[in-house]
Amino acid sequence: MNKINGYTEDEAKNLVRYICEGRKEGKTLSGMFDGYAKKTGRAKGSVRNYYYALLRTSGDDRVKKLLRGTGLKAEKITAFSETETDDMLKAILSQKSRGISVRKAVLNLSGGDDKLMLRYQNKYRNVLVKQPERIERLMRECGLAGSADENRKKLEDEINNLYDKLASGLKEENKRLASLIKKLTDENSLLKLQIKNLSD
């Protein structure tokens, strides 16, 4: 069997065995991906991707032999409709506008389903790269923002305001410290004078 995502044939057998045993124990696929990742030192996403790639490898007799009798099969993925895509993107953009990362937003939307989360994430990135105007349109429909230039300007303004607040805070702190240093210097001079007077 050729390597898929860097796995050898023995590693593929071990993963299939691990998944089959986990299914008998009633474990979830997500939990098994996580468990196998910890056991092997691989990333959970890499284990998941490899598993689905293996199930979809239909032309290799060794893969067929490996999977024979296991009952493991890849479910057919149904493409998102345009409405589903828009609804999903609006939900992600809405969460993003509240400071939530895209990764966290798709996790929330998928209800913890790794496969669905990956589909949401891939769809979002795909639209962001290939149809940025669609993202802008949906943001306007949600009342979230204007054009990319407006969003960039808004971000720059936020950064500038933050910088001004930090700079203002630093100026105040510098004044306070300068005043404290002057006070300590004066007290030090007074103590030196008192010590000199005692010793005379």
Side-chain angles (χ1 to χ4, degrees), residues 7 103 122 136 195:
Y7 279 54
R103 188 166 181 78
N122 289 342
E136 287 185 17
I195 290 170

Side-chain angles (χ1 to χ4, degrees), residues 5-65:
N5 296 344
Y7 279 54
T8 65
E9 188 170 350
D10 282 342
E11 287 176 310
K13 286 178 183 175
N14 289 337
L15 175 60
V16 168
R17 190 178 308 116
Y18 185 86
I19 297 293
C20 287
E21 289 170 2
R23 285 181 70 195
K24 288 176 188 172
E25 295 169 12
K27 293 180 181 176
T28 65
L29 264 180
S30 177
M32 287 187 280
F33 294 150
D34 191 43
Y36 194 79
K38 288 174 181 168
K39 179 181 174 182
T40 60
R42 292 185 178 271
K44 180 181 178 181
S46 172
V47 173
R48 178 190 58 232
N49 292 344
Y50 177 78
Y51 173 74
Y52 288 114
L54 181 68
L55 295 185
R56 293 189 182 100
T57 304
S58 57
D60 191 319
D61 288 337
R62 288 171 293 179
V63 173
K64 290 177 184 175
K65 183 179 175 185

Side-chain angles (χ1 to χ4, degrees), residues 138-154:
L138 293 171
M139 288 178 76
R140 282 193 302 274
E141 286 177 16
C142 293
L144 297 175
S147 69
D149 287 337
E150 289 171 338
N151 292 333
R152 195 167 20 263
K153 177 75 170 74
K154 183 180 175 186

Side-chain angles (χ1 to χ4, degrees), residues 168-191:
S168 174
L170 287 173
K171 283 180 187 174
E172 291 300 316
E173 183 65 8
N174 283 342
K175 282 183 189 176
R176 190 185 70 75
L177 289 173
S179 173
L180 183 60
I181 288 169
K182 184 178 183 319
K183 181 180 175 185
L184 291 172
T185 302
D186 291 346
E187 287 177 3
N188 193 31
S189 297
L190 185 60
L191 283 171

